[in-house]
Structure formats: structure tokens, C-alpha cells
Amino acid sequence: MFDRLVSFIREQYRTQEFIPLHAPVFRGRERELVLDTIDSTFVSSVGAYVDRFERDMATFVGSPRAIAVMNGTAALHMALKLVGVEQGDLVVTQSLTFVATCNAIAYCGAEPLFIDVDRRTLGLSPKALDEWLSEHAIVDDAGDCRTRDGHRRIRACLPMHTFGHPVDLDALVAVCERWRLVLVEDAAESLGSYYKGRHTGTFGRIGTLSFNGNKIMTTGGGGMLLTDQVTGTRAKHLTTTAKIPHPYEFVHDEVGYNYRLPNLNAALGVAQLEQLPAFIESKRALAQRYIDFLKDSPLAPIVEPAHCRSNYWLNGVVCEDAAQRDALLKSTNDSGVMTRPIWALMNRLPHYTNALKGPLTNAEWLEARVVNLPSSVLQSEQ
Ligand SMILES: *Cc1c(COP(=O)(O)O)cnc(C)c1O
């Protein structure tokens, strides 16, 4: 039934072999820089590539500071701790996300508060958030946002830029200011995506990135916090065992974390970042080919929202209904072309079923219909 789509995807990747959803591409200085760390013996927690990777990334995204950590989940955990999320707090997020977003909330002893997404952006809906808060929350005399029932503190708002498409940031920033929520952006999927010309992950107090193997660029495993100078200095301290600098003594002034990114991984990151602009161009070109190809098909491609420039990390389509989605998944995977449904909603997972939530109409609608198509960077001569 989806034979033409399968042939189209095979033409893009010029292969009759299995086509994965997203594979990393190493065609820059990866080998050279990783070997350099081995030759120097500085493969671990000390080394020049970590500083270099942080500086290069801060420049690329336009953030005052960037702090490298060992994965995106660790970056989220630290971000929430740094903005003061504590035991018993609530953190607003979307139920349509990868599980890491919610796990980071749970690591702080806090609980997610699930708010619906927009159908256009696939990300947290500022309108749905404002409506839920208007009905169920107040800002108390101390300036904290609290639920009317139970007076639970709602400390932060953690939207996620799904598949690289930015949420409606102007509206969301305004809602967060009105309700005194600290904005933290899960930008794991949106490195290279811009909202009104500004890089995602730089709108909130902190933004986080992931460099897992399936992301737009990889360090094997890795993540980053994007933030201001003061928070950045705190983040560095907290993620490197909270050690007070001293020539030989071990003094730590709080419970710290060993979340730092090894130099070996940072070297890979420096080499990958050099190619990031080319990766983004390739992905945007592939997205346009999908959009053109799907013009007269029942599948609606997911396109960048207004005023945004998306990295198109993963291409997606919205099927007419769940039956069509299942047929698409079966026919492509049976043909050796990997496709995947979007995540099951987080409120369905056993550990999050009791979480507070608003209506999730759009999230449920998308959950039943969205499929991701192969989206790896194309070979350079294509
Ligand atoms: C990949 C990803 C993360 C972080 O993942 P790590 O594997 O820990 O680097 C977090 N949130 C979202 C939405 C992601 O897609």
C-alpha cells in the first residue's frame, strides 16, 4: 500500500539494504580528534576538548555559557535542581514527549503536571497551560504558583521542542511570567532550530541538549546545559562533584554529581559540531523532498511552525487515523525501511498514571496518528 513511499525513501538513501530511522554520520575530523585524546592520555574527566566543545557550542547557539555533561537526561536533572525544583513540587510538562523529560522531574522528588500540546507545534500549548492555571492555581503572597487544592508549589515549566519544531515561545514565556513559573527548555531534539531567529534552548533560565547517538549530532553519549554566566558556574560546580578548587586537597561543599562529559566524548563533539551547519542543510533539504513527495497523499507532513526555522531532526507525518498509521508502520518496516510511531503518552506509564493533568485532547489525537520516517543526513554528493 505504501510501495511508492518505500521506493522514494530508498531513492533518497540510494540503497536496497535496511534503512534506519536515524544513523550518525562521521565525515569530518572525528577520527583525528578522538585519536588525539588517546595519544595525549587525556581521555577522561580532564582535558582541553571539554572547554573547547563548551565554547564552540555557546557560540553556535548564542548562549552566554554551555556546560557539558554525560547525557541529556543528566542535563535535565541538573537544570531542574539548579532552578530550585524540590521534593513535592510540581513541574509543568507535556505528556507527548520522550520519557527522559519526566524522569528528570522524578529524580528531583517532584511530579509532572501534564498539559496538552498544540497540533501545529507538537509542543506544550501556552493556551492550555494558561487555562489550566486560571482554573486550578493561584500565585501566593510569597510569589509562588500553587495549586488551589492542596497548595502544591508549581515551580517550573519544562516544554520540549518535538522533533526539532519549536513551541510557541513568545506566548509560553508570557504565561510563565504571569504565573511565576521558571522556564526550562528540553531542547534535546532541537539543536539548530530557531524561533524568530533565536536559538531554541536560550529562551528559558536553562535549556538542555542531548548528543545521544540518534540526535542531530552525537558525542556517543552526552548533553549540555545552556544558561547565563552565574547559573553556568553553579552548574559546572554541581556536575563536577562540587569540589572547591585547590592544588591538592579534597574539599566538597555540597552533595555534588559526577555528571561531567569525558574529554574523549568532547573531542567527538568538537568534530561533529564543525559539520552541524551541513547536517542541518541536508535535513532541511530532505524534509522539503518529503513535503513535495507527499503533496497528493493522505499523509500530512509535519512542517516547521510559523516564524520558525526547524532542524527537521526527525521527519514525521500525520496519518488520517490509527488504522492507516498501523498499515504504514507495517508496510514500511516489513520492507526494511524503519519507521516508528510517536511515543505513548507519559500519563499512560504506570509510574506517571497518578500525575495531575489537564485535558490531553491534542496529545491523544497525535499519539494515534504520528509516524516518523527515516531522517538520517544524506550522503554528501546527493
Ligand atoms: C534524547 C532526549 C533526551 C535526552 O536523552 P539522553 O539519551 O539522556 O541524552 C531528553 N529529552 C528528549 C525529548 C529527548 O529526545
Side-chain angles (χ1 to χ4, degrees):
M1 182 180 173
F2 293 101
D3 295 350
R4 279 189 57 238
L5 177 60
V6 166
S7 329
F8 171 78
I9 294 169
R10 290 204 172 284
E11 275 165 36
Q12 307 313 305
Y13 290 101
R14 298 185 177 176
T15 177
Q16 294 307 310
E17 312 275 295
F18 171 75
I19 298 177
L21 195 66
H22 199 287
V25 167
F26 302 114
R27 51 181 183 226
R29 297 201 295 152
E30 288 86 354
R31 199 175 293 266
E32 178 195 332
L33 301 193
V34 169
L35 283 176
D36 185 42
T37 68
I38 295 172
D39 292 340
S40 71
T41 77
F42 287 98
V43 294
S44 188
S45 48
V46 177
Y49 284 109
V50 175
D51 297 336
R52 169 86 188 276
F53 187 35
E54 290 178 343
R55 275 200 314 272
D56 291 354
M57 187 59 80
T59 304
F60 181 84
V61 302
S63 171
R65 280 291 286 280
I67 306 298
V69 292
M70 64 186 190
N71 59 52
T73 310
L76 281 168
H77 178 198
M78 290 298 97
L80 294 176
K81 267 197 93 72
L82 286 160
V83 304
V85 172
E86 291 172 359
Q87 186 82 32
D89 283 344
L90 294 169
V91 175
V92 171
T93 194
Q94 50 204 68
S95 60
L96 191 75
T97 186
F98 176 59
V99 72
T101 318
C102 299
N103 286 345
I105 296 170
Y107 298 163
C108 296
E111 284 178 39
L113 160 53
F114 294 120
I115 298 295
D116 208 4
V117 295
D118 281 332
R119 277 201 201 179
R120 276 287 280 130
T121 67
L122 315 185
L124 195 72
S125 160
K127 186 163 168 284
L129 176 58
D130 198 40
E131 281 170 8
W132 193 92
L133 292 170
S134 301
E135 196 175 330
H136 299 283
I138 49 141
V139 175
D140 71 12
D141 295 342
D144 285 328
C145 184
R146 290 188 181 272
T147 57
R148 289 175 194 239
D149 294 352
H151 284 255
R152 294 189 62 186
R153 186 169 74 148
I154 311 172
R155 178 65 188 155
C157 176
L158 180 57
M160 196 278 281
H161 305 295
T162 309
F163 307 149
H165 299 299
V167 305
D168 184 356
L169 279 157
D170 279 351
L172 194 59
V173 165
V175 173
C176 287
E177 279 172 4
R178 184 171 327 134
W179 290 95
R180 308 287 183 94
L181 304 179
V182 186
L183 179 63
V184 175
E185 297 170 73
D186 183 348
E189 305 186 352
S190 64
L191 174 57
S193 297
Y194 297 81
Y195 177 87
K196 295 190 177 170
R198 187 163 148 198
H199 198 282
T200 53
T202 66
F203 287 77
R205 175 91 55 84
I206 305 180
T208 65
L209 302 175
S210 164
F211 312 116
N212 189 40
N214 63 343
K215 295 303 201 284
I216 191 163
M217 60 160 272
T218 186
T219 57
M224 225 174 244
L225 292 102
L226 308 175
T227 190
D228 58 83
Q229 293 291 355
V230 173
T231 312
T233 301
R234 276 275 302 136
K236 195 51 149 182
H237 186 66
L238 197 61
T239 56
T240 55
T241 72
K243 185 177 182 298
I244 305 291
H246 189 280
Y248 47 85
E249 280 178 8
F250 292 102
V251 181
H252 306 263
D253 64 352
E254 64 183 308
V255 178
Y257 294 79
N258 181 14
Y259 277 2
R260 61 187 129 208
L261 184 73
N263 201 44
L264 189 71
N265 301 75
L268 193 55
V270 169
Q272 285 266 284
L273 184 52
E274 288 172 349
Q275 299 160 83
L276 184 60
F279 291 171
I280 296 165
E281 284 319 306
S282 168
K283 282 172 164 293
R284 290 183 55 84
L286 175 63
Q288 191 56 53
R289 291 190 205 178
Y290 272 125
I291 291 165
D292 294 343
F293 175 79
L294 293 168
K295 211 162 260 149
D296 303 312
S297 101
L299 309 176
I302 296 166
V303 298
E304 63 193 353
H307 315 298
C308 293
R309 187 177 164 85
S310 297
N311 66 1
Y312 283 96
W313 169 57
L314 280 190
N315 285 284
V317 290
V318 181
C319 300
E320 288 171 325
D321 52 34
Q324 189 181 63
R325 174 200 61 181
D326 293 343
L328 171 60
L329 286 167
K330 179 152 176 32
S331 138
T332 46
N333 284 290
D334 283 354
S335 313
V337 170
M338 184 170 167
T339 59
R340 285 286 178 270
I342 200 165
W343 314 280
L345 299 188
M346 291 300 114
N347 53 295
R348 300 193 199 286
L349 303 183
H351 36 299
Y352 298 122
T353 41
N354 294 327
L356 279 178
K357 57 178 187 290
L360 301 173
T361 322
N362 290 337
E364 286 161 3
W365 190 88
L366 290 163
E367 181 194 32
R369 288 169 180 78
V370 172
V371 171
N372 287 120
L373 305 176
S375 300
S376 309
V377 167
L378 298 170
Q379 292 307 307
S380 46
E381 71 279 12
Q382 288 182 303

PDB file of all heavy atoms in Angstrom, residues 71-74 76 97-98 100-101 160 186 188-189 209-212 214-215 222-223 313 343, ligand 1:
ATOM      1  N   ASN A  71      25.001  13.072  29.602  1.00  0.00           N
ATOM      2  CA  ASN A  71      23.885  12.805  28.690  1.00  0.00           C
ATOM      3  C   ASN A  71      22.789  13.860  28.879  1.00  0.00           C
ATOM      4  O   ASN A  71      22.863  14.680  29.803  1.00  0.00           O
ATOM      5  CB  ASN A  71      23.328  11.372  28.827  1.00  0.00           C
ATOM      6  CG  ASN A  71      22.832  11.054  30.213  1.00  0.00           C
ATOM      7  OD1 ASN A  71      22.022  11.793  30.773  1.00  0.00           O
ATOM      8  ND2 ASN A  71      23.328   9.964  30.778  1.00  0.00           N
ATOM      9  N   GLY A  72      21.813  13.811  28.022  1.00  0.00           N
ATOM     10  CA  GLY A  72      20.755  14.816  28.056  1.00  0.00           C
ATOM     11  C   GLY A  72      19.877  14.689  29.289  1.00  0.00           C
ATOM     12  O   GLY A  72      19.359  15.687  29.793  1.00  0.00           O
ATOM     13  N   THR A  73      19.705  13.463  29.768  1.00  0.00           N
ATOM     14  CA  THR A  73      18.884  13.255  30.960  1.00  0.00           C
ATOM     15  C   THR A  73      19.552  13.898  32.177  1.00  0.00           C
ATOM     16  O   THR A  73      18.889  14.554  32.992  1.00  0.00           O
ATOM     17  CB  THR A  73      18.679  11.747  31.218  1.00  0.00           C
ATOM     18  OG1 THR A  73      18.244  11.133  30.000  1.00  0.00           O
ATOM     19  CG2 THR A  73      17.646  11.503  32.286  1.00  0.00           C
ATOM     20  N   ALA A  74      20.874  13.735  32.286  1.00  0.00           N
ATOM     21  CA  ALA A  74      21.631  14.362  33.380  1.00  0.00           C
ATOM     22  C   ALA A  74      21.526  15.882  33.275  1.00  0.00           C
ATOM     23  O   ALA A  74      21.404  16.579  34.295  1.00  0.00           O
ATOM     24  CB  ALA A  74      23.089  13.915  33.329  1.00  0.00           C
ATOM     25  N   LEU A  76      19.010  17.579  32.073  1.00  0.00           N
ATOM     26  CA  LEU A  76      17.668  17.948  32.551  1.00  0.00           C
ATOM     27  C   LEU A  76      17.585  17.879  34.070  1.00  0.00           C
ATOM     28  O   LEU A  76      17.011  18.761  34.712  1.00  0.00           O
ATOM     29  CB  LEU A  76      16.623  16.987  31.955  1.00  0.00           C
ATOM     30  CG  LEU A  76      16.200  17.238  30.516  1.00  0.00           C
ATOM     31  CD1 LEU A  76      15.413  16.045  29.992  1.00  0.00           C
ATOM     32  CD2 LEU A  76      15.353  18.513  30.427  1.00  0.00           C
ATOM     33  N   THR A  97       6.044  13.334  24.971  1.00  0.00           N
ATOM     34  CA  THR A  97       7.480  13.590  24.993  1.00  0.00           C
ATOM     35  C   THR A  97       8.199  12.270  25.189  1.00  0.00           C
ATOM     36  O   THR A  97       7.570  11.228  25.430  1.00  0.00           O
ATOM     37  CB  THR A  97       7.861  14.591  26.109  1.00  0.00           C
ATOM     38  OG1 THR A  97       9.262  14.910  26.008  1.00  0.00           O
ATOM     39  CG2 THR A  97       7.594  14.037  27.502  1.00  0.00           C
ATOM     40  N   PHE A  98       9.525  12.322  25.104  1.00  0.00           N
ATOM     41  CA  PHE A  98      10.345  11.156  25.435  1.00  0.00           C
ATOM     42  C   PHE A  98      10.431  11.079  26.959  1.00  0.00           C
ATOM     43  O   PHE A  98      10.414  12.096  27.646  1.00  0.00           O
ATOM     44  CB  PHE A  98      11.737  11.322  24.803  1.00  0.00           C
ATOM     45  CG  PHE A  98      12.694  10.226  25.158  1.00  0.00           C
ATOM     46  CD1 PHE A  98      12.408   8.899  24.851  1.00  0.00           C
ATOM     47  CD2 PHE A  98      13.888  10.506  25.803  1.00  0.00           C
ATOM     48  CE1 PHE A  98      13.294   7.886  25.190  1.00  0.00           C
ATOM     49  CE2 PHE A  98      14.784   9.502  26.133  1.00  0.00           C
ATOM     50  CZ  PHE A  98      14.485   8.189  25.833  1.00  0.00           C
ATOM     51  N   ALA A 100      12.593  10.729  29.176  1.00  0.00           N
ATOM     52  CA  ALA A 100      13.654  11.412  29.942  1.00  0.00           C
ATOM     53  C   ALA A 100      13.154  12.711  30.562  1.00  0.00           C
ATOM     54  O   ALA A 100      13.565  13.074  31.671  1.00  0.00           O
ATOM     55  CB  ALA A 100      14.855  11.694  29.032  1.00  0.00           C
ATOM     56  N   THR A 101      12.286  13.430  29.861  1.00  0.00           N
ATOM     57  CA  THR A 101      11.765  14.703  30.366  1.00  0.00           C
ATOM     58  C   THR A 101      11.107  14.493  31.732  1.00  0.00           C
ATOM     59  O   THR A 101      11.361  15.230  32.685  1.00  0.00           O
ATOM     60  CB  THR A 101      10.728  15.286  29.364  1.00  0.00           C
ATOM     61  OG1 THR A 101      11.207  15.116  28.036  1.00  0.00           O
ATOM     62  CG2 THR A 101      10.464  16.743  29.621  1.00  0.00           C
ATOM     63  N   MET A 160       9.057  20.808  25.542  1.00  0.00           N
ATOM     64  CA  MET A 160      10.008  20.056  24.718  1.00  0.00           C
ATOM     65  C   MET A 160       9.729  20.392  23.248  1.00  0.00           C
ATOM     66  O   MET A 160       8.569  20.393  22.830  1.00  0.00           O
ATOM     67  CB  MET A 160       9.834  18.561  25.001  1.00  0.00           C
ATOM     68  CG  MET A 160      10.976  17.690  24.528  1.00  0.00           C
ATOM     69  SD  MET A 160      10.885  17.281  22.792  1.00  0.00           S
ATOM     70  CE  MET A 160       9.664  15.959  22.816  1.00  0.00           C
ATOM     71  N   ASP A 186      13.542  21.734  27.256  1.00  0.00           N
ATOM     72  CA  ASP A 186      14.160  20.479  26.824  1.00  0.00           C
ATOM     73  C   ASP A 186      14.382  20.613  25.311  1.00  0.00           C
ATOM     74  O   ASP A 186      13.482  20.360  24.508  1.00  0.00           O
ATOM     75  CB  ASP A 186      13.258  19.289  27.149  1.00  0.00           C
ATOM     76  CG  ASP A 186      13.911  17.960  26.775  1.00  0.00           C
ATOM     77  OD1 ASP A 186      14.934  17.981  26.064  1.00  0.00           O
ATOM     78  OD2 ASP A 186      13.384  16.906  27.183  1.00  0.00           O
ATOM     79  N   ALA A 188      16.602  18.916  23.599  1.00  0.00           N
ATOM     80  CA  ALA A 188      17.371  17.732  23.196  1.00  0.00           C
ATOM     81  C   ALA A 188      17.249  17.448  21.702  1.00  0.00           C
ATOM     82  O   ALA A 188      18.184  16.958  21.074  1.00  0.00           O
ATOM     83  CB  ALA A 188      16.900  16.517  23.990  1.00  0.00           C
ATOM     84  N   GLU A 189      16.062  17.750  21.132  1.00  0.00           N
ATOM     85  CA  GLU A 189      15.810  17.401  19.735  1.00  0.00           C
ATOM     86  C   GLU A 189      15.963  18.605  18.809  1.00  0.00           C
ATOM     87  O   GLU A 189      15.815  18.467  17.601  1.00  0.00           O
ATOM     88  CB  GLU A 189      14.384  16.822  19.623  1.00  0.00           C
ATOM     89  CG  GLU A 189      14.202  15.642  20.578  1.00  0.00           C
ATOM     90  CD  GLU A 189      12.881  14.905  20.443  1.00  0.00           C
ATOM     91  OE1 GLU A 189      11.991  15.379  19.701  1.00  0.00           O
ATOM     92  OE2 GLU A 189      12.752  13.837  21.074  1.00  0.00           O
ATOM     93  N   LEU A 209      20.512  20.186  26.000  1.00  0.00           N
ATOM     94  CA  LEU A 209      20.731  19.491  24.729  1.00  0.00           C
ATOM     95  C   LEU A 209      21.106  18.039  25.005  1.00  0.00           C
ATOM     96  O   LEU A 209      21.546  17.712  26.113  1.00  0.00           O
ATOM     97  CB  LEU A 209      21.886  20.139  23.959  1.00  0.00           C
ATOM     98  CG  LEU A 209      21.772  21.625  23.616  1.00  0.00           C
ATOM     99  CD1 LEU A 209      23.077  22.094  22.966  1.00  0.00           C
ATOM    100  CD2 LEU A 209      20.599  21.873  22.681  1.00  0.00           C
ATOM    101  N   SER A 210      20.959  17.186  24.000  1.00  0.00           N
ATOM    102  CA  SER A 210      21.425  15.798  24.082  1.00  0.00           C
ATOM    103  C   SER A 210      22.277  15.497  22.859  1.00  0.00           C
ATOM    104  O   SER A 210      21.968  15.946  21.747  1.00  0.00           O
ATOM    105  CB  SER A 210      20.234  14.839  24.109  1.00  0.00           C
ATOM    106  OG  SER A 210      20.672  13.516  23.829  1.00  0.00           O
ATOM    107  N   PHE A 211      23.334  14.723  23.078  1.00  0.00           N
ATOM    108  CA  PHE A 211      24.183  14.264  21.962  1.00  0.00           C
ATOM    109  C   PHE A 211      24.213  12.752  21.929  1.00  0.00           C
ATOM    110  O   PHE A 211      25.248  12.129  21.667  1.00  0.00           O
ATOM    111  CB  PHE A 211      25.605  14.830  22.108  1.00  0.00           C
ATOM    112  CG  PHE A 211      25.634  16.303  22.390  1.00  0.00           C
ATOM    113  CD1 PHE A 211      26.148  16.782  23.579  1.00  0.00           C
ATOM    114  CD2 PHE A 211      25.123  17.217  21.466  1.00  0.00           C
ATOM    115  CE1 PHE A 211      26.170  18.142  23.852  1.00  0.00           C
ATOM    116  CE2 PHE A 211      25.125  18.575  21.733  1.00  0.00           C
ATOM    117  CZ  PHE A 211      25.656  19.044  22.929  1.00  0.00           C
ATOM    118  N   ASN A 212      23.068  12.146  22.235  1.00  0.00           N
ATOM    119  CA  ASN A 212      22.942  10.701  22.113  1.00  0.00           C
ATOM    120  C   ASN A 212      23.136  10.307  20.642  1.00  0.00           C
ATOM    121  O   ASN A 212      23.050  11.153  19.753  1.00  0.00           O
ATOM    122  CB  ASN A 212      21.546  10.288  22.619  1.00  0.00           C
ATOM    123  CG  ASN A 212      21.410   8.799  22.739  1.00  0.00           C
ATOM    124  OD1 ASN A 212      22.340   8.124  23.166  1.00  0.00           O
ATOM    125  ND2 ASN A 212      20.271   8.264  22.342  1.00  0.00           N
ATOM    126  N   ASN A 214      21.386   9.004  18.412  1.00  0.00           N
ATOM    127  CA  ASN A 214      20.309   9.218  17.435  1.00  0.00           C
ATOM    128  C   ASN A 214      19.983  10.698  17.228  1.00  0.00           C
ATOM    129  O   ASN A 214      19.090  11.024  16.459  1.00  0.00           O
ATOM    130  CB  ASN A 214      19.044   8.484  17.875  1.00  0.00           C
ATOM    131  CG  ASN A 214      18.493   9.015  19.199  1.00  0.00           C
ATOM    132  OD1 ASN A 214      19.188   9.704  19.941  1.00  0.00           O
ATOM    133  ND2 ASN A 214      17.254   8.686  19.488  1.00  0.00           N
ATOM    134  N   LYS A 215      20.694  11.605  17.888  1.00  0.00           N
ATOM    135  CA  LYS A 215      20.361  13.024  17.760  1.00  0.00           C
ATOM    136  C   LYS A 215      21.059  13.622  16.521  1.00  0.00           C
ATOM    137  O   LYS A 215      21.839  12.950  15.859  1.00  0.00           O
ATOM    138  CB  LYS A 215      20.762  13.765  19.033  1.00  0.00           C
ATOM    139  CG  LYS A 215      19.960  13.321  20.271  1.00  0.00           C
ATOM    140  CD  LYS A 215      18.466  13.493  20.085  1.00  0.00           C
ATOM    141  CE  LYS A 215      17.681  13.548  21.384  1.00  0.00           C
ATOM    142  NZ  LYS A 215      17.499  12.232  22.037  1.00  0.00           N
ATOM    143  N   GLY A 222      26.057  12.175  25.574  1.00  0.00           N
ATOM    144  CA  GLY A 222      26.447  13.499  26.045  1.00  0.00           C
ATOM    145  C   GLY A 222      25.260  14.425  26.113  1.00  0.00           C
ATOM    146  O   GLY A 222      24.188  14.138  25.565  1.00  0.00           O
ATOM    147  N   GLY A 223      25.457  15.519  26.810  1.00  0.00           N
ATOM    148  CA  GLY A 223      24.396  16.523  26.921  1.00  0.00           C
ATOM    149  C   GLY A 223      25.003  17.858  27.290  1.00  0.00           C
ATOM    150  O   GLY A 223      26.206  17.948  27.535  1.00  0.00           O
ATOM    151  N   TRP A 313      14.991  17.402  12.708  1.00  0.00           N
ATOM    152  CA  TRP A 313      15.739  16.247  13.223  1.00  0.00           C
ATOM    153  C   TRP A 313      15.071  14.936  12.784  1.00  0.00           C
ATOM    154  O   TRP A 313      15.724  14.073  12.208  1.00  0.00           O
ATOM    155  CB  TRP A 313      15.839  16.309  14.756  1.00  0.00           C
ATOM    156  CG  TRP A 313      16.341  15.044  15.341  1.00  0.00           C
ATOM    157  CD1 TRP A 313      17.525  14.420  15.038  1.00  0.00           C
ATOM    158  CD2 TRP A 313      15.690  14.209  16.306  1.00  0.00           C
ATOM    159  NE1 TRP A 313      17.642  13.257  15.773  1.00  0.00           N
ATOM    160  CE2 TRP A 313      16.538  13.106  16.548  1.00  0.00           C
ATOM    161  CE3 TRP A 313      14.463  14.311  16.990  1.00  0.00           C
ATOM    162  CZ2 TRP A 313      16.198  12.094  17.443  1.00  0.00           C
ATOM    163  CZ3 TRP A 313      14.135  13.316  17.887  1.00  0.00           C
ATOM    164  CH2 TRP A 313      15.000  12.213  18.105  1.00  0.00           C
ATOM    165  N   TRP A 343       5.796   8.538  20.628  1.00  0.00           N
ATOM    166  CA  TRP A 343       5.773   7.913  21.957  1.00  0.00           C
ATOM    167  C   TRP A 343       4.342   7.727  22.485  1.00  0.00           C
ATOM    168  O   TRP A 343       3.466   8.535  22.213  1.00  0.00           O
ATOM    169  CB  TRP A 343       6.508   8.803  22.974  1.00  0.00           C
ATOM    170  CG  TRP A 343       7.808   9.320  22.484  1.00  0.00           C
ATOM    171  CD1 TRP A 343       8.997   8.651  22.444  1.00  0.00           C
ATOM    172  CD2 TRP A 343       8.085  10.624  21.952  1.00  0.00           C
ATOM    173  NE1 TRP A 343       9.975   9.462  21.917  1.00  0.00           N
ATOM    174  CE2 TRP A 343       9.446  10.670  21.614  1.00  0.00           C
ATOM    175  CE3 TRP A 343       7.297  11.761  21.730  1.00  0.00           C
ATOM    176  CZ2 TRP A 343      10.045  11.805  21.068  1.00  0.00           C
ATOM    177  CZ3 TRP A 343       7.891  12.885  21.183  1.00  0.00           C
ATOM    178  CH2 TRP A 343       9.256  12.894  20.857  1.00  0.00           C
TER     179      TRP A 343
HETATM  180  C1  LIG B   1      17.122  12.351  23.603  1.00  0.00           C
HETATM  181  C2  LIG B   1      16.239  13.105  24.511  1.00  0.00           C
HETATM  182  C3  LIG B   1      16.614  13.428  25.839  1.00  0.00           C
HETATM  183  C4  LIG B   1      17.923  13.070  26.486  1.00  0.00           C
HETATM  184  O1  LIG B   1      18.397  11.867  26.180  1.00  0.00           O
HETATM  185  P1  LIG B   1      19.796  11.241  26.581  1.00  0.00           P
HETATM  186  O2  LIG B   1      19.730   9.924  25.896  1.00  0.00           O
HETATM  187  O3  LIG B   1      19.822  11.136  28.076  1.00  0.00           O
HETATM  188  O4  LIG B   1      20.906  12.096  26.071  1.00  0.00           O
HETATM  189  C5  LIG B   1      15.740  14.171  26.600  1.00  0.00           C
HETATM  190  N1  LIG B   1      14.563  14.578  26.118  1.00  0.00           N
HETATM  191  C6  LIG B   1      14.173  14.305  24.864  1.00  0.00           C
HETATM  192  C7  LIG B   1      12.878  14.821  24.392  1.00  0.00           C
HETATM  193  C8  LIG B   1      14.983  13.545  24.025  1.00  0.00           C
HETATM  194  O5  LIG B   1      14.556  13.279  22.772  1.00  0.00           O
END
